[in-house]
Amino acid sequence: MRLSRLAGLFLAAAAALFAARFGVESIGKIVRLTDPQIAPDGKSIAIVVSRANYEEDRYDPELTLIDVATRGQRVLTRDRRGVGQARWSPDGTRLAFLATVDGHPQIFVLPMNGGDALQITKSPAGVQQYAWRPGAGSEIAYVASDEAPKVTGEERHNKAFEIQNNHFLLQEAPRPAHVWLISADGKSAARRLTSVAWNLPESLQPGAPS
């Protein structure tokens, strides 16, 4: 009996302490940490830090660089929507990431010795995933689905499609996804490596809140 009463008092005290320290106003201080990427030299980590935006009812992500030795932090992106999937170049001199442009994820490349991030893709349907080419890292391969076909007349209002073996939560007919290759400096046009008959499954970028 004494033990149960003691346990009850302990739980009540713990609940009171928790209530005193954590309230609704504390929610804004909670951050989401996703997709950490260690630099090739092991000295720093790139990670996506997302904070609550009450006015817009969303989480705003920022790409942040953490120094392993000093634990110092440096924000690499500001005022960009949909930031995520940061990936180091093989030599560690550049950091690529996805960010939303006109509603579609595109690849940006940020030089780590200073300068602004450069948008290198303009995929009409957006980039699903990507990877640096091994070695010098002069090119980036990425996956993007085909553009939606343009329809006219009454067909513009026909949203019906067959689910088949696809996810039941799809809101539109799935389109073929293909592999593309583009130079990491964005100076040459992207070229498609796979044919129309070949298709990759749709892949969502990891932990990039909108």
Side-chain angles (χ1 to χ4, degrees):
M1 190 69 175
R2 288 182 179 179
L3 286 176
S4 60
R5 186 177 297 176
L6 238 122
L9 288 172
F10 175 78
L11 289 175
L17 185 63
F18 181 82
R21 291 186 176 182
F22 188 88
V24 175
E25 68 281 356
S26 303
I27 297 177
K29 300 177 182 179
I30 298 177
V31 298
R32 295 178 178 177
L33 306 178
T34 55
D35 202 19
Q37 296 293 316
I38 301 176
D41 62 6
K43 295 181 179 180
S44 55
I45 300 172
I47 191 169
V48 177
V49 180
S50 302
R51 293 179 173 83
N53 182 334
Y54 290 114
E55 294 182 0
E56 302 292 336
D57 190 24
R58 66 169 189 261
Y59 272 85
D60 289 334
E62 291 179 334
L63 186 58
T64 302
L65 190 69
I66 300 176
D67 187 282
V68 174
T70 66
R71 301 184 183 181
Q73 300 181 20
R74 177 163 63 98
V75 177
L76 301 178
T77 60
R78 295 185 185 277
D79 301 324
R80 289 191 186 276
R81 296 291 300 275
V83 172
Q85 202 175 139
R87 298 292 182 267
W88 292 94
S89 63
D91 60 3
T93 61
R94 291 157 293 169
L95 185 63
F97 61 91
L98 294 183
T100 302
V101 179
D102 296 328
H104 298 294
Q106 305 293 347
I107 300 175
F108 288 76
V109 176
L110 177 69
M112 299 309 293
N113 60 355
D116 295 329
L118 173 69
Q119 179 183 343
I120 66 169
T121 62
K122 295 182 179 180
S123 174
V127 174
Q128 295 180 13
Q129 55 180 306
Y130 72 95
W132 287 88
R133 185 167 189 165
S138 58
E139 293 177 306
I140 291 177
Y142 67 91
V143 175
S145 60
D146 291 346
E147 242 183 307
K150 294 181 180 180
V151 293
T152 58
E154 294 181 355
E155 281 301 311
R156 291 180 302 167
H157 309 290
N158 182 9
K159 304 298 182 181
F161 65 95
E162 189 174 350
I163 294 290
Q164 296 181 352
N165 293 325
N166 297 294
H167 199 288
F168 72 97
L169 291 179
L170 284 177
Q171 297 181 352
E172 60 180 14
R175 300 187 297 274
H178 296 287
V179 178
W180 296 72
L181 192 66
I182 191 171
S183 62
D185 58 12
K187 292 182 179 180
S188 63
R191 57 190 178 95
R192 194 171 70 179
L193 302 182
T194 55
S195 65
V196 177
W198 197 79
N199 182 43
L200 279 174
E202 183 175 359
S203 176
L204 301 178
Q205 56 172 305
S210 59

